[in-house]
């Protein structure tokens, strides 16, 4: 799994082209959706192999509680989790808890559109950030 610091890349891209904040946000959200689908497909391809490889995870009390939580709240658990936290654990738990691939993908995409939209909008309208970088003295 390759984890990229998306927030820093989003902010840098938007500071470089503030009028393009919405397309930048949507492209990153679409990338998150593609990553979610790929990661979910990996999890669903060989679930028993994954469970055998990492038995301590699947036999823990935390896993049982998390799985029960996902089965109880379903798409809402995935949505709110993906809104503020890295999506990898939620995709994996969603895949093993029986959440459909379309529901999980929808939750990830909507959550990331909202989150990335807010980050990009704030970066585009952050005059203090622009002023700081434009007034920085060379050392």
């Amino acid at each position: 799994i390759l984890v990229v610091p998306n927030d820093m890349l989003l902010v840098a891209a938007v500071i470089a082209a503030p009028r393009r904040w919405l397309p930048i946000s949507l492209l990153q959200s679409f990338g998150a959706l593609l990553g979610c689908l790929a990661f979910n497909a990996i999890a669903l391809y060989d679930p028993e192999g994954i469970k055998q490889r990492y038995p301590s995870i699947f036999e823990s009390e935390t896993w049982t509680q998390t799985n029960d939580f996902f089965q109880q709240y379903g798409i809402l658990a995935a949505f709110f989790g993906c809104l503020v936290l890295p999506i990898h654990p939620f995709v994996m738990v969603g895949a093993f808890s029986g959440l459909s691939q379309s529901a999980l993908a929808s939750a990830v995409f909507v959550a990331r559109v909202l989150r990335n939209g807010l980050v990009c909008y704030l970066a585009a309208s952050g005059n203090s950030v622009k002023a700081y970088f434009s007034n920085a003295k060379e050392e």
Side-chain angles (χ1 to χ4, degrees):
I1 298 172
L2 175 64
V3 179
V4 178
N6 293 328
D7 291 346
M8 291 186 288
L9 295 173
L10 280 175
V11 170
V14 171
I15 287 174
R19 286 182 282 197
R20 295 184 183 157
W21 70 268
L22 186 58
I24 292 169
S25 169
L26 292 174
L27 281 172
Q28 199 286 331
S29 300
F30 185 69
L33 172 64
L34 292 178
C36 164
L37 292 173
F39 195 48
N40 190 279
I42 291 168
L44 294 176
Y45 176 74
D46 187 19
E48 292 306 315
I50 293 173
K51 288 179 181 180
Q52 288 174 358
R53 185 169 175 104
Y54 305 103
S56 62
I57 292 174
F58 295 99
E59 294 170 359
S60 69
E61 180 64 27
T62 303
W63 174 258
T64 304
Q65 292 172 349
T66 305
N67 196 26
D68 292 345
F69 185 80
F70 256 76
Q71 288 180 352
Q72 184 176 359
Y73 293 104
I75 195 169
L76 289 176
F79 172 77
F80 285 109
C82 293
L83 192 60
V84 294
L85 298 170
I87 64 174
H88 300 91
F90 295 97
V91 172
M92 186 60 72
V93 173
F96 282 103
S97 68
L99 193 61
S100 74
Q101 198 170 20
S102 60
L104 185 59
S106 299
V108 167
F109 187 68
V110 172
R112 287 298 158 155
V113 164
L114 292 174
R115 182 182 189 283
N116 294 333
L118 178 63
V119 168
C120 289
Y121 175 76
L122 291 174
S125 63
N127 292 327
S128 61
V129 173
K130 293 177 201 172
Y132 173 79
F133 285 112
S134 63
N135 293 329
K137 297 178 183 175
E138 293 184 20
E139 294 183 26

